[in-house]
Amino acid sequence: MTDPTHALSFGAAASDYDRFRPRYPEQAVRWALDGLGVPARVVDLGAGTGILTRGVLALGHEVQPVEPDPGMRAQLEVATSGSTALAGSAESVPLPDGAADAVLAGQAYHWFDKDRAHAEIARLLRPGGVLAPIWNLRDERTGWVAELTKIARLGDSADDLAGRVTDFGSAFEPVEQAWFPHRTTLTPDELVGMVRTRSYYLTADPQRRQGVDRELHELLDTHPDLAGRERFELPYRTLVCRARRR
């Protein structure tokens, strides 16, 4: 299991997280839920501020967000009309057996204690229901994006993550994967704001934060794809890993 200090670090920056983190492309969410009727009963596990919840609601489904961090739950309720997140984790969800047609996890599955979470999610899902973690991953085939990852310690590459998410345990059928390219348009200040919502930055000491800020501003001021520009595109590759409960 990943360091819980990092996993629960986001609440202190919940408003900025909701403002600066990218949304999920509609086609990725549709693929995750393909074959389910509308409305399906969806649990958004590790729902954060409700970014994925809102994307699923927009497709006409019923969504129950579940989130362990009280700061993130509070922001979800502010930003997501009519939704109230349950206090819970991937390893302990306060819902009955078979309550869900699908369990999604946006930008969250890598924090789970996998063995315990797989068993709990299998309990939540009806037979034939879907588990589908989703990630927005920076497209590091673009040069300045690769430099951004090094500066801000932004975690695994897309291919490394995909190589690790290949099995949800014996209760699930084999995992399918699909990729969806998309882009967000940012100002320099918005890029800085996004970096400051990352777990590495949130848990760093003041000296390390200052170092990240300094290198990030240098990148913005000197890289030929960024220098002098008021807005620019940040490319993403959205990864969806999907498997049905046996």
Side-chain angles (χ1 to χ4, degrees):
M1 183 165 120
T2 315
D3 184 351
T5 303
H6 286 252
L8 295 175
S9 65
F10 300 106
S15 178
D16 285 345
Y17 187 106
D18 197 63
R19 176 184 174 190
F20 295 124
R21 288 296 185 100
R23 278 42 185 166
Y24 298 93
E26 180 181 321
Q27 63 269 36
V29 180
R30 286 189 180 279
W31 188 84
L33 299 173
D34 185 51
L36 299 179
V38 180
R41 300 169 300 159
V42 179
V43 173
D44 181 4
L45 199 51
T49 63
I51 293 172
L52 180 56
T53 289
R54 296 193 292 273
V56 178
L57 286 170
L59 298 180
H61 298 290
E62 301 171 0
V63 187
Q64 176 58 70
V66 177
E67 168 58 41
D69 189 307
M72 300 292 263
R73 291 198 303 272
Q75 180 61 37
L76 184 150
E77 292 183 27
V78 169
T80 312
S81 178
S83 291
T84 300
L86 297 175
S89 67
E91 300 78 24
S92 181
V93 180
L95 290 170
D97 296 0
D101 300 310
V103 173
L104 304 188
Q107 230 64 25
Y109 176 81
H110 53 287
W111 299 117
F112 297 171
D113 180 330
K114 303 300 186 297
D115 289 341
R116 292 173 60 206
H118 292 160
E120 181 70 343
I121 293 166
R123 181 189 69 78
L124 285 175
L125 285 170
R126 64 166 175 79
V130 173
L131 167 59
I134 304 176
W135 291 268
N136 282 320
L137 302 163
R138 298 160 312 284
D139 191 343
E140 295 170 359
R141 296 172 296 186
T142 299
W144 74 264
V145 179
E147 293 186 38
L148 174 68
T149 294
K150 293 177 183 177
I151 291 168
R153 313 293 198 277
L154 293 181
D156 297 318
S157 72
D159 291 335
D160 287 343
L161 181 59
R164 291 204 310 274
V165 185
T166 58
D167 185 351
F168 296 149
S170 61
F172 292 88
E173 295 179 356
V175 172
E176 304 172 88
Q177 294 185 347
W179 294 92
F180 302 86
H182 74 120
R183 295 173 177 268
T184 60
T185 301
L186 300 172
T187 66
D189 286 346
E190 288 168 343
L191 181 65
V192 172
M194 185 274 288
V195 168
R196 289 177 176 174
T197 69
R198 305 294 303 197
S199 61
Y200 174 82
Y201 191 95
L202 292 168
T203 58
D205 60 41
Q207 184 175 359
R208 288 184 179 180
R209 290 189 182 190
Q210 290 170 9
V212 170
D213 288 343
R214 183 175 58 254
E215 292 184 53
L216 182 55
H217 282 101
E218 182 179 351
L219 176 68
L220 288 163
D221 291 341
T222 62
H223 195 283
D225 291 342
L226 303 175
R229 299 186 62 178
E230 294 183 358
R231 303 186 73 82
F232 47 83
E233 288 188 333
L234 174 54
Y236 284 93
R237 302 168 67 198
T238 297
L239 170 64
V240 184
C241 299
R242 180 183 71 186
R244 297 193 182 277
R245 189 190 185 288
R246 297 183 190 278

